[in-house]
Structures are given as structure tokens and as C-alpha cells.
Amino acid sequence: MNVYDRAYELAKAMQACPEAHDLLGAIQAVEQDDEAKLLMNDFRQRQAGFQQQMMAGEEPSPEEMADMNQLYEELSLHPLLNQLFEAERRFGVVFDDVTKIISESLKNVFE
């Protein structure tokens, strides 16, 4: 079996993991709730603006960062959004762990 086949196997395994299922369920729950969907879309737009700003080499001001953190805290009080944030965090841990395992195992190739 070649490396590409194994990569597809890994992708399928990650799609089938409980964390991915939880994330998909949380996304669907937010999409079905008009208020949660609107709040989340607004938050994602603001997040994207911050990311673009940082990619352009500009640091957001401390006030902007505080406002964004405050907004995240407020959105976390919404049960569906809190569930989504938690599901994203848990899946992110799995993704980061897998990436770390792959990176660590390839260190000898790059040294």
C-alpha cells in the first residue's frame, strides 16, 4: 500500500472518530437555530478579519483582542454555541495529536 492510500485511510478514520461526529452534530444544531447561526456567522466574520489582519503583519490592538475575547465569552453562554466551541476544541486536540505523531515520526528524515 502506498503513502497516499494510507493518507486516505487516516482521513477516513478521522472522519469516523467520535470527536468528528460530535463536531458535525454541533454544526448541524447551530445551523438549524436561526439565532445561533446568526451569532456564529458574525463571530466567524470577525475572526476572519482578525486572521487577515495578522497575516498582513498587523497586530490587533489590545482593545480589539479584549473585545473579541469578550464576544467569545458571551457566545459561550449560548448552549448551542458552547457545544460547538467545545466540539471544535476536542476535534482540534485529535487533529493536533495526529499531526504531532506524524511530525515526530518524520524528524529523522529531515535531520
Side-chain angles (χ1 to χ4, degrees):
M1 183 172 278
N2 72 39
V3 69
Y4 296 105
D5 292 336
R6 295 292 178 136
Y8 285 115
E9 280 182 21
L10 176 58
K12 285 181 183 177
M14 289 189 71
Q15 289 173 351
C17 76
E19 293 82 0
H21 285 281
D22 292 347
L23 178 56
L24 182 57
I27 290 169
Q28 290 171 343
V30 167
E31 287 292 318
Q32 293 174 359
D33 183 281
D34 290 337
E35 178 191 15
K37 184 177 178 179
L38 183 65
L39 291 168
M40 195 64 194
N41 287 342
D42 180 56
F43 180 71
R44 294 294 189 219
Q45 285 177 344
R46 289 181 186 203
Q47 254 186 338
F50 266 80
Q51 289 172 345
Q52 288 174 350
Q53 187 178 1
M54 291 190 301
M55 286 174 51
E58 302 171 21
E59 278 295 315
S61 71
E63 295 82 21
E64 290 173 318
M65 292 299 292
D67 288 346
M68 196 65 174
N69 287 333
Q70 177 67 31
L71 178 58
Y72 177 81
E73 293 299 321
E74 289 172 10
L75 293 179
S76 293
L77 297 175
H78 190 290
L80 292 176
L81 297 179
N82 186 50
Q83 184 180 19
L84 176 58
F85 292 149
E86 281 301 307
E88 287 176 336
R89 185 193 60 75
R90 287 190 308 273
F91 184 77
V93 168
V94 171
F95 188 86
D96 289 345
D97 288 348
V98 169
T99 301
K100 183 178 178 183
I101 291 167
I102 293 170
S103 296
E104 289 290 323
S105 68
L106 294 175
K107 272 188 176 179
N108 64 346
V109 172
F110 296 107
E111 291 178 352

